[in-house]
Amino acid sequence: MKIKEIIVVEGKDDTIAIKRALDADTIETNGSAINMVTLEKIKLAQETRGVIVLTDPDYPGQKIRNTISEHVPGCKHAFIEKHAALHKYGKGVGVEHASPEVIRAALKDSHVMNEEAVSDITQDDLITAGLIGGAGSRERREKLGQYLKIGYTNGKQLHKRLIMFQISKAKFAEAIENISKEEYDG
């Protein structure tokens, strides 16, 4: 499997994991202190071949993702769930620990984030769905991120992420219904 886009990862170990999963070129940010030279490389890659951002499911990974989105609009974003990116002995979390199958699935499900998009999903919808401000809301947000393939986000950022990925109210409602059914059956 060859990927046209260039995949942006955090480091060498992530590049090795990507190459185990498929044939792709990468750009390494070398951690969260991403510099302008690297951002220029990413910008050129986006203009010529397209970019998929695949960072670790942690705070530094989110920081890198935000920096890239700010400087290079139109990139696709792929997410790996935290449980699928854990070291087998619990020593860290990262793309480098994900299986080739998980990496391929994340890349297949990548999305373009759209900052200017609007949504008919309201903050009240998030509260009513038990996604913010209540017991178990963190777990429900994790399940929602998995179901919609938009990654985990905290309560403050959830609405923004739903807008950026242009999640419709119908798709949101379907996801909440499935999560509720899963919780009821489980």
Side-chain angles (χ1 to χ4, degrees):
M1 181 175 174
K2 172 72 173 162
I3 298 261
K4 178 190 118 192
E5 295 94 345
I6 295 174
I7 302 168
V8 176
V9 295
E10 293 182 42
K12 290 181 190 136
D13 291 338
D14 298 335
T15 293
I16 292 167
I18 296 293
K19 301 243 186 241
R20 276 195 314 258
L22 46 92
D23 184 9
D25 297 315
T26 62
I27 294 174
E28 296 165 5
T29 66
N30 297 313
S32 59
I34 186 169
N35 61 37
M36 288 310 292
V37 172
T38 303
L39 285 169
E40 287 301 320
K41 277 190 215 171
I42 295 169
K43 194 178 288 184
L44 179 60
Q46 174 63 7
E47 290 168 6
T48 56
R49 291 178 48 191
V51 165
I52 301 174
V53 179
L54 180 63
T55 57
D56 297 345
D58 57 10
Y59 177 77
Q62 186 60 46
K63 186 177 174 206
I64 293 166
R65 197 178 287 281
N66 292 344
T67 301
I68 293 169
S69 293
E70 186 180 317
H71 290 87
V72 188
C75 295
K76 289 182 181 177
H77 291 262
F79 297 91
I80 294 177
E81 298 301 325
K82 195 169 196 165
H83 68 85
L86 291 172
H87 184 276
K88 63 183 171 183
Y89 300 117
K91 297 176 183 173
V93 62
V95 170
E96 71 268 22
H97 304 305
S99 71
E101 296 77 25
V102 166
I103 291 170
R104 285 192 291 269
L107 293 170
K108 184 172 90 45
D109 294 328
S110 62
H111 305 276
V112 174
M113 293 208 271
N114 183 349
E115 298 279 347
E116 287 81 43
V118 293
S119 174
D120 51 356
I121 301 169
T122 66
Q123 286 292 120
D124 286 340
D125 293 330
L126 302 181
I127 293 167
T128 302
L131 295 167
I132 52 178
S137 57
R138 182 184 201 286
E139 292 79 12
R140 287 179 71 85
R141 287 193 308 275
E142 285 177 2
K143 289 177 185 174
L144 182 72
Q146 289 172 357
Y147 186 85
L148 296 174
K149 299 186 182 358
I150 61 171
Y152 169 77
T153 184
N154 64 30
K156 283 185 174 182
Q157 294 296 315
L158 177 59
H159 191 247
K160 183 178 179 183
R161 179 84 49 98
L162 291 168
I163 292 168
M164 288 169 61
F165 284 111
Q166 302 176 25
I167 303 298
S168 69
K169 194 161 190 166
K171 192 168 184 177
F172 173 77
E174 177 187 316
I176 295 302
E177 185 179 317
N178 284 330
I179 290 167
S180 297
K181 195 163 126 184
E182 188 181 291
E183 289 171 345
Y184 180 78
D185 293 343

